[in-house]
Amino acid sequence: MSSAGPAEPADNTRALFPTLIYDAALGARGVKALNRELVAEAEQIAAADEAGQDWSESRYPGGYTSYATLDQLQRMAPTVQHLARHLTRHALHYAEALHWDLQGRSLVMSDCWVSIMGQGCGHPGHLHPLAVVSGTYYAQAPKGTSGLRFEDPRLASFMAAPPRAADAPDALRPHVLLPARAGRLYLFESWLRHEVPPNPVKEERVSFSFNFVWE
Ligand code: NI
């Protein structure tokens, strides 16, 4: 019997045009204390933002987001400003992983908003127009809370293709759900469609979402 059987099918393929998701710990000193300050700041922002409370009541049931009212937190909230410096460092690492040639320009955070999700609060599929890199940082992620679900950007192009097997690896699945974890962040290219399934637990999940532009 020959030990050299036919090659595994994967050995005869190569992956092109990958979609890179950046997944890292913030890496700041005293991240637990920073997260406590961020959560406290988030609660102050939510309590003071009556227009945002009204907006969230109809558009963000079960939660509060400053998305429609205070979307420049990196300029007005001191702890978020501190967070934004770390996030910018990560965004530049991500740009390196993508082999982007920034041509003497940089990645600049254009907006940053906070989301406090209570039980049942979710955010349906969307992308982030006008930005190049988007992401989320988790300041508070209770056990069992919902993560971030990404959709294969080529989904609309598959037409007659068979579905993927249930045991396909993450990189070949049409949807991938990554967990929310306090002190960690995800970055992705802004055209990548994503959603947050409804938070199934009672405890609130507190996250900061943001966009970077190339300028
Ligand atoms: Ni988003």
Side-chain angles (χ1 to χ4, degrees), residues 66-142:
S66 73
Y67 173 73
T69 45
L70 300 168
D71 66 353
Q72 304 263 309
L73 293 182
Q74 80 278 18
R75 295 189 181 162
M76 53 163 286
T79 316
V80 180
Q81 199 163 40
H82 175 82
L83 173 68
R85 282 197 290 274
H86 285 287
L87 296 175
T88 300
R89 172 171 56 82
H90 284 286
L92 292 169
H93 284 164
Y94 181 46
E96 280 178 36
L98 289 164
H99 290 260
W100 279 354
D101 175 3
L102 297 179
Q103 303 188 334
R105 292 147 72 187
S106 193
L107 296 181
V108 177
M109 189 180 281
S110 53
D111 28 25
C112 177
W113 61 99
V114 65
S115 301
I116 303 177
M117 295 185 139
Q119 193 168 29
C121 181
H123 192 178
H126 64 281
L127 30 83
H128 292 212
L130 306 179
V132 293
V133 169
S134 298
T136 296
Y137 174 74
Y138 301 98
Q140 179 170 291

Side-chain angles (χ1 to χ4, degrees), residues 137-168:
Y137 174 74
Y138 301 98
Q140 179 170 291
K143 198 174 158 63
T145 195
S146 46
L148 191 53
R149 186 171 187 256
F150 293 100
E151 178 180 298
D152 187 332
R154 305 160 303 170
L155 211 54
S157 314
F158 289 153
M159 300 185 288
R164 306 287 171 73
D167 62 351

